[in-house]
Amino acid sequence: MVSLRALAVNAVVGLVILFIANVAGLEVQISLLTLLVCAIFGIPGAILVLLLALFDVAFVAAVVPALPV
């Protein structure tokens, strides 16, 4: 069984990787789901999230247009 400490370390490392990807211009959505994927799968999970965002499959940071008032 995976310890809580390992999940926390994986989550932090994955979050750092996703943050660096956002700074580099890949525009990856950082949400609870992406954090969970990174926490469970670690660095390969972060790479998976990056690849899915790169190919516009999932986890793409979308700009939602404002509703007219």
Side-chain angles (χ1 to χ4, degrees):
M1 182 154 224
V2 179
S3 69
L4 188 59
R5 182 177 178 177
L7 286 174
V9 169
N10 282 345
V12 170
V13 170
L15 188 61
V16 168
I17 290 172
L18 294 178
F19 180 75
I20 291 170
N22 277 332
V23 169
L26 292 180
E27 297 181 7
V28 179
Q29 176 188 8
I30 297 177
S31 66
L32 184 60
L33 182 61
T34 57
L35 191 60
L36 245 158
V37 170
C38 291
I40 294 171
F41 297 110
I43 294 174
I47 293 171
L48 175 69
V49 168
L50 289 174
L51 287 175
L52 290 174
L54 184 66
F55 292 121
D56 292 331
V57 176
F59 308 118
V60 179
V63 177
V64 178
L67 296 173
V69 178

